[in-house]
Amino acid sequence: MRIWWVVPMGILFALPLFFRGYYIYVIDLVGIYVVIGLGLNLLTGYCGQLSLGHAAFFALGAFTSAYLTIGGVPFLVALPAAGAAGAVMAYLVGIPVLRLRLIFLAISTVGLGIITHDVLYNLKGFTGGADGMTVPKPKLGPLVFKSDESFFYIVAVVVIFLSFLLGNITRTKAGRAFLAIRESERAATAAGIDVPRYKMLAFVISAFYTGVAGGLYAHLTAYINVTAFDILLSVTFLSMIIIGGVASIPGSILGAIFVVVVPEALRDVPGAKDIQALVYGLLMGFFIIFLPGGLVSGFSRLKGIFKK
Amino acid sequence: MSEVLFQINHLTKKFGGLIAINDFSMEIREGEILGLIGPNGAGKTTVFNCISHFYKPDAGEILMGGNNLLQLKPHQVAEMGIGRTFQNIELFGNLTVRENLLIGQHRLIRSGFFSTTLFLKRCREEEKRVLERAEEIGVRLGLGGIMDSLISGLPLGTRKLVELARALVLEPKLVLLDEPVAGMNPMESETLARVITEIRGRLGITVFLIEHDMGLVMRICDRLYVLHYGKKIAEGIPAEVRRKALVIAAYLGQEGDLAPQG
Amino acid sequence: MILQVIMSGIAIGAIYALLALGIVLIFKTTLVLNFAHGEVAMLTTLFAYSIIVSLGFPYWVGVIGALVLGGILGILSDLLVRPLLNAPLLSMVGLTIAMFFVIHAIGGIFWGYQTWPFPNPFPEKAVDLGGLVVSPIHLFIIFVLLVLGGVLFAVLNFTTVGTAFRATCQDRRAALLMGISSNRVFAISWAAGCALGAISGILIAPIIHVQVNMMVVILLKAFAAAVLGGILSLPGAIVGGVVLGVVENIFSFYCGTEFQDSIAFLIIILVLLVRPQGILGSPVEIKV
């Protein structure tokens, strides 16, 4: 048992004591985005498959968890179910779509996002359309997690658990298989990797993670509206990977922090929406051109400079 | 006479109107080093690509261990114990040598889903074993010092060795080498030739190679097949084929490739 | 009645086709799918609006201004994207998306989010063509589309620039060996593609009004049209646009407008699965 884990864990679990109200809400949101980043990084960073439609899984997860908890299903079941909903959808969509070559796959996922958005929007009775729907706060037995501070613990546990799983996946056979597929599908096949199966695995896992994140989101904000789950959201998810770092778990965390904090920090600036978009676009462009490995590679380069 | 390990019967592959491989049959005996030679465009790499199942042949069967490889899925060819290198080197460029050799052992790792995601004992043990094996093969091929270097920074000769190592690491019965010494200088070719004979000698692996370097072919191959415009035009031991080759070369008016070298 | 639906569909489809032409032009040479294409069209149109309405210059001055701005934006994009041509797909997609955000933000910052009517050089009243009703601006768009198609065809097949372009599309290295500078061809493609975008914006603006968000949805449809017609085929962009417009219109006529956007993408996905090279494309390997 490595004991040094206790210190960062301790700090982590003490966070809600120091950050309250708005700040802990932002931290909760970061946690949710970290979950998405972990999953999407597996698909895009490790496996090299581009998806611009992950908002669909997010939306599906959100509504699944919302409806299940309203229907009396315990939160502990509803949350994985939200992930499962995303996973099932990914499996069904993936069967035809994953065969396509990269850019066509990307375009298809755009379609996936738009179609899901449209369908959910028009199922007004189900999703509330433009009015949205309210979601109850999560309950674990007798405990009701009403506040954002208490919700933090749910997010933290989920993030830690899912990171642990993902870490194991990425440093063993499957993780290497994903990398192989990204680098050369032919060589991967010649080494015995069942490429279609692994692509599907990456897709389904990333959808599961995103679905869980959607479920968490629904309960954090206690109100979900389908109009928010659009292609812009999918693009935001993708930019997490670009900015944070491809094929890296710390990268997903950095990317999530960035993607949540920057818009929030610029919120009160006049012309906020435009400044946000401008800063966003410029930074994304900066990273792609100068730091294609994301923030993570920037840090390791800094480390290299200091070592000398 | 050793056992027949691998057999191709009446293989035919067309691309549109072009017949790339025309009713090609051959067999490989266990423990031999077999060469496939012929002028450029004769269809040699196409044969390999049919074996690897990247192309679907129009006719014929490929038999190994009682199975028709053409009925398997492409990734299962490796599971049958066939390793392969590529003409233009297909390595995992942004990864290290070690990672390439770990990926090569994919078919040997058997831990299931739960064992992997929870990193249970069985998975941990298999991980340890593949790391050791990668190290072992790497050192044996002289790559010990660069195991953690990225492929993209390595010179051609080294990369060819890495690709060979990756093919060997899956514990194959047969390796397909597509122009293993192309682009190498005489010293590097010599080293690689030695490595290939050692693969057969020490590891007991059967080798099937495509080559243009006739010196190498004559020196290390036990038997040869000659392909021309997709058809087999000669087979036999190198000395025989060379004699026949002079006749064929004269008849077809082609020097160069089939002419005797060193 | 169905004929009217089809006619209106062609009119809408021509709009998608105009935008798709620019996308395909750039993609053919550089293999870059420019997600910011619509925003370029938007910005050049806003610029034209300022020239014509705010500054009072005649219509054609505004058009020239838009074309020039389009050309400049195109060349800037080319310079920005060129070092990344061999980078993984994620980088290229990410970069054009980043360009989308930046250009969109510039539009918002300098022009704000109101909607303005754009001057229509044609009479408003719809024209009656033997029972079919079409408004003049739509007719003009179809006309411009056909003219542009013809011009592109002529340039590509009968001029040296066109041949250089086609050579570079087919095989960059071989073209280089022939002395054709791919840098120049790229720059011309980008500039021409963005200029096409500018034309699209100016022609569409009278119909949908000028505002910063005007191009966002249409761009997605234009992508759908390009893929439908064949992502590497310029005539395909025209065919794809028209077909998409007609199918979309027929669908919304019989089934209501709610799922209109989804239909476009459902078509795309089906086409990609069944015939990825599109209606007019040839089954050539696209190196991605």
Side-chain angles (χ1 to χ4, degrees):
Chain A
M1 246 298 135
R2 281 173 274 184
I3 306 182
W4 65 271
W5 272 116
V6 175
V7 176
M9 285 294 208
I11 296 177
L12 192 68
F13 280 98
L15 274 178
L17 298 175
F18 300 101
F19 295 93
R20 324 223 81 206
Y22 174 69
Y23 293 105
I24 198 71
Y25 169 80
V26 172
I27 293 179
D28 288 345
L29 204 56
V30 169
I32 291 174
Y33 272 71
V34 168
V35 173
I36 300 171
L38 290 172
L40 198 56
N41 215 338
L42 190 73
L43 178 67
T44 303
Y46 280 87
C47 199
Q49 310 299 305
L50 212 56
S51 168
L52 285 170
H54 262 53
F57 305 126
F58 192 71
L60 204 66
F63 283 106
T64 303
S65 187
Y67 266 97
L68 287 179
T69 43
I70 288 176
V73 174
F75 180 68
L76 269 179
V77 174
L79 199 61
V88 167
M89 177 188 231
Y91 182 73
L92 295 173
V93 170
I95 295 177
V97 155
L98 287 172
R99 290 194 267 130
L100 299 171
R101 237 167 271 137
L102 295 180
I103 189 91
F104 296 135
L105 174 66
I107 296 176
S108 303
T109 55
V110 171
L112 166 71
I114 289 185
I115 294 175
T116 307
H117 181 256
D118 259 6
V119 168
L120 286 177
Y121 183 81
N122 286 302
L123 289 175
K124 289 196 173 61
F126 182 63
T127 61
D131 296 322
M133 63 180 277
T134 49
V135 180
K137 283 292 182 182
K139 280 197 290 213
L140 282 182
L143 295 166
V144 180
F145 290 79
K146 253 195 302 212
S147 64
D148 293 341
E149 284 85 359
S150 55
F151 196 76
F152 171 79
Y153 292 106
I154 297 183
V155 174
V157 167
V158 171
V159 168
I160 292 173
F161 181 61
L162 290 181
S163 306
F164 170 69
L165 289 183
L166 200 84
N168 292 338
I169 294 175
T170 52
R171 59 185 163 142
T172 56
K173 171 179 175 182
R176 292 191 294 263
F178 295 141
L179 285 170
I181 294 173
R182 183 188 76 189
E183 294 294 310
S184 165
E185 284 188 32
R186 281 212 319 177
T189 308
I193 295 173
D194 187 349
V195 172
R197 185 164 162 263
Y198 275 89
K199 278 188 186 174
M200 177 63 88
L201 191 63
F203 197 52
V204 166
I205 295 177
S206 73
F208 179 81
Y209 274 57
T210 309
V212 168
L216 285 173
Y217 179 80
H219 295 286
L220 173 69
T221 54
Y223 164 79
I224 47 179
N225 190 323
V226 118
T227 48
F229 304 140
D230 58 4
I231 182 163
L232 211 59
L233 191 65
S234 296
V235 169
T236 307
F237 294 164
L238 194 66
S239 60
M240 258 200 291
I241 311 295
I242 295 174
I243 294 174
V246 158
S248 145
I249 291 182
S252 309
I253 299 176
L254 286 174
I257 295 177
F258 199 88
V259 155
V260 172
V261 169
V262 168
E264 291 292 325
L266 293 172
R267 190 186 258 215
D268 293 319
V269 173
K273 240 182 64 173
D274 293 317
I275 304 287
Q276 270 177 36
L278 189 67
V279 170
Y280 216 77
L282 288 173
L283 281 168
M284 239 174 100
F286 173 79
F287 278 107
I288 291 173
I289 299 176
F290 298 110
L291 265 184
L295 280 170
V296 173
S297 75
F299 280 128
S300 46
R301 266 196 232 172
L302 273 176
K303 255 204 304 183
I305 297 176
F306 284 122
K307 266 194 189 161
K308 293 190 194 138
Chain B
M1 184 97 120
S2 40
E3 302 242 336
V4 172
L5 175 70
F6 178 90
Q7 223 178 5
I8 297 181
N9 292 329
H10 303 292
L11 188 69
T12 303
K13 174 67 190 162
K14 304 190 198 142
F15 290 110
L18 177 74
I19 303 180
I21 303 175
N22 199 340
D23 194 33
F24 179 60
S25 298
M26 62 169 282
E27 62 178 30
I28 307 180
R29 293 173 209 144
E30 217 176 307
E32 68 177 341
I33 298 181
L34 187 81
L36 182 63
I37 62 178
N40 272 319
K44 309 187 293 291
T45 302
T46 311
V47 172
F48 270 21
N49 285 338
C50 285
I51 299 174
S52 295
H53 219 333
F54 292 143
Y55 298 150
K56 216 165 159 257
D58 297 292
E61 48 177 20
I62 301 180
L63 303 171
M64 178 157 160
N67 288 320
N68 183 357
L69 293 183
L70 296 176
Q71 286 168 349
L72 300 175
K73 286 200 249 170
H75 71 279
Q76 290 173 316
V77 171
E79 282 176 18
M80 290 296 306
I82 299 180
R84 155 159 199 188
T85 68
F86 294 85
Q87 204 172 7
N88 289 319
I89 305 187
E90 294 228 19
L91 284 171
F92 306 121
N94 288 312
L95 306 178
T96 64
V97 173
R98 192 188 308 273
E99 286 167 332
N100 271 267
L101 297 187
L102 288 175
I103 295 174
Q105 298 181 63
H106 185 90
R107 78 161 186 130
L108 300 173
I109 302 175
R110 287 280 166 231
S111 319
F113 181 71
F114 277 117
S115 184
T116 317
T117 47
L118 297 174
F119 209 51
L120 297 176
K121 187 147 184 242
R122 177 169 187 205
C123 177
R124 287 205 297 267
E125 285 175 353
E126 282 198 312
E127 286 297 302
K128 218 173 83 167
R129 244 185 301 139
V130 295
L131 270 167
E132 284 168 2
R133 201 177 147 68
E135 188 72 34
E136 193 192 307
I137 302 259
V139 166
R140 181 178 290 192
L141 286 180
L143 303 166
I146 51 166
M147 289 297 277
D148 291 303
S149 312
L150 283 181
I151 300 291
S152 43
L154 298 175
L156 179 74
T158 317
R159 276 190 275 153
K160 288 219 164 225
L161 274 177
V162 175
E163 223 198 1
L164 182 61
R166 191 184 59 189
L168 291 177
V169 105
L170 59 79
E171 290 181 8
K173 296 198 205 102
L174 170 70
V175 284
L176 310 174
L177 306 179
D178 197 340
E179 300 196 28
V181 299
M184 285 185 162
N185 63 46
M187 214 177 56
E188 290 171 324
S189 306
E190 185 56 46
T191 315
L192 197 58
R194 223 182 335 117
V195 171
I196 295 175
T197 34
E198 268 185 28
I199 292 173
R200 187 264 299 274
R202 292 239 202 98
L203 298 176
I205 298 176
T206 309
V207 178
F208 181 14
L209 59 86
I210 293 174
E211 243 320 320
H212 276 297
D213 181 341
M214 294 314 292
L216 180 86
V217 164
M218 294 297 165
R219 266 201 323 265
I220 69 172
C221 290
D222 298 322
R223 284 194 309 133
L224 295 179
Y225 283 89
V226 186
L227 208 60
H228 189 53
Y229 286 130
K231 276 187 89 73
K232 172 170 64 177
I233 59 172
E235 68 177 278
I237 64 173
E240 271 175 31
V241 170
R242 198 209 291 180
R243 264 178 284 136
K244 246 187 253 171
L246 285 176
V247 176
I248 295 170
Y251 179 82
L252 292 173
Q254 296 205 31
E255 323 280 329
D257 228 29
L258 298 181
Q261 279 176 34
Chain C
M1 197 66 237
I2 182 84
L3 281 179
Q4 178 63 51
V5 175
I6 294 180
M7 184 71 224
S8 308
I10 295 179
I12 300 174
I15 295 177
Y16 300 151
L18 255 185
L19 218 52
L21 266 180
I23 295 173
V24 172
L25 189 67
I26 296 174
F27 185 74
K28 264 181 86 87
T29 9
T30 65
L31 286 182
V32 174
L33 213 50
N34 188 12
F35 284 102
H37 189 78
E39 300 311 287
V40 169
M42 175 271 288
L43 203 66
T44 52
T45 308
L46 279 174
F47 185 62
Y49 177 80
S50 291
I51 294 179
I52 300 172
V53 176
S54 311
L55 296 176
F57 285 102
Y59 183 80
W60 61 270
V61 176
V63 173
I64 305 254
L67 286 174
V68 168
L69 182 61
I72 295 175
L73 286 174
I75 300 198
L76 282 176
S77 305
D78 176 34
L79 290 173
L80 211 57
V81 168
R82 212 186 290 160
L84 283 180
L85 283 175
N86 290 316
L89 190 65
L90 179 64
S91 294
M92 189 255 283
V93 169
L95 190 59
T96 54
I97 292 179
M99 280 158 48
F100 176 101
F101 283 129
V102 171
I103 300 178
H104 191 97
I106 293 178
I109 292 174
F110 286 102
W111 277 274
Y113 282 91
Q114 300 114 295
T115 306
W116 301 282
F118 195 84
N120 188 341
F122 297 93
E124 291 282 341
K125 188 161 159 19
V127 165
D128 187 300
L129 296 173
L132 296 177
V133 180
V134 184
S135 56
I137 183 82
H138 275 120
L139 268 179
F140 187 64
I141 292 179
I142 298 173
F143 173 69
V144 168
L145 187 66
L146 293 172
V147 166
L148 277 175
V151 165
L152 276 172
F153 179 77
V155 167
L156 284 179
N157 289 302
F158 300 119
T159 68
T160 20
V161 178
T163 321
F165 178 83
R166 281 187 299 137
T168 312
C169 289
Q170 286 221 351
D171 189 334
R172 229 181 279 165
R173 246 179 302 153
L176 201 62
L177 289 173
M178 300 265 181
I180 297 175
S181 152
S182 44
N183 284 345
R184 245 196 314 146
V185 174
F186 281 16
I188 296 178
S189 303
W190 271 101
C194 289
L196 274 174
I199 297 176
S200 320
I202 293 187
L203 288 177
I204 298 173
I207 303 172
I208 63 174
H209 300 306
V210 195
Q211 43 119 350
V212 173
N213 288 317
M214 63 190 276
M215 284 301 185
V216 178
V217 175
I218 301 183
L219 181 72
L220 293 174
K221 303 282 183 70
F223 270 118
V227 171
L228 181 63
I231 192 78
L232 284 176
S233 161
L234 284 167
I238 299 179
V239 169
V242 170
V243 169
L244 183 65
V246 170
V247 172
E248 220 183 48
N249 220 33
I250 293 180
F251 179 80
S252 44
F253 179 71
Y254 288 112
C255 309
T257 54
E258 284 159 348
F259 290 99
Q260 217 182 18
D261 294 342
S262 304
I263 275 302
F265 277 92
L266 207 56
I267 296 176
I268 292 321
I269 296 179
L270 284 171
V271 169
L272 283 177
L273 292 175
V274 170
R275 197 187 152 88
Q277 67 268 24
I279 297 176
L280 292 186
S282 50
V284 172
E285 299 267 320
I286 297 181
K287 251 181 96 191
V288 258

